Amino acid sequence: ELATLVEWIETLLCIERPPSMDFFDWIKDGVILCQVFNLYFPDAIRKINQSPSAHRQIQNIHLYLKATESYPIAPTFPTDAL
């Protein structure tokens, strides 16, 4: 369930999703994906881009997907899925 996933992420990262923000808008820049990944695999993703530019957001997703190839994690998706 989406609410459970949001609560899990908020608890892990000690953050709060803005109530008016759609879940996919919240994660589409890849920052949260990278931060959660780094909690389980410290420093696996060394540079997480905070820039609002689409190029940097795509780069974050790419960094996440590349990291999943090196660690035992199954869920992957194409960069443009978000």
Side-chain angles (χ1 to χ4, degrees):
E1 180 177 320
L2 189 57
T4 304
L5 177 59
V6 169
E7 184 179 338
W8 178 73
I9 291 170
E10 289 175 331
T11 301
L12 275 177
L13 299 179
C14 299
I15 60 172
E16 193 170 305
R17 177 180 64 128
S20 61
M21 184 177 274
D22 177 73
F23 175 76
F24 294 103
D25 287 337
W26 189 45
I27 67 165
K28 75 178 182 181
D29 64 4
V31 171
I32 289 173
L33 289 171
C34 292
Q35 289 173 337
V36 168
F37 196 87
N38 276 345
L39 283 176
Y40 288 93
F41 305 101
D43 297 321
I45 303 169
R46 295 185 187 267
K47 172 80 170 122
I48 301 172
N49 298 294
Q50 301 291 331
S51 170
S53 87
H55 174 74
R56 295 296 183 204
Q57 293 174 358
I58 291 168
Q59 190 175 37
N60 283 340
I61 302 298
H62 177 75
L63 291 169
Y64 166 79
L65 292 172
K66 187 143 180 76
T68 63
E69 295 172 1
S70 302
Y71 293 87
I73 186 168
T76 60
F77 46 85
T79 305
D80 61 355
L82 292 177

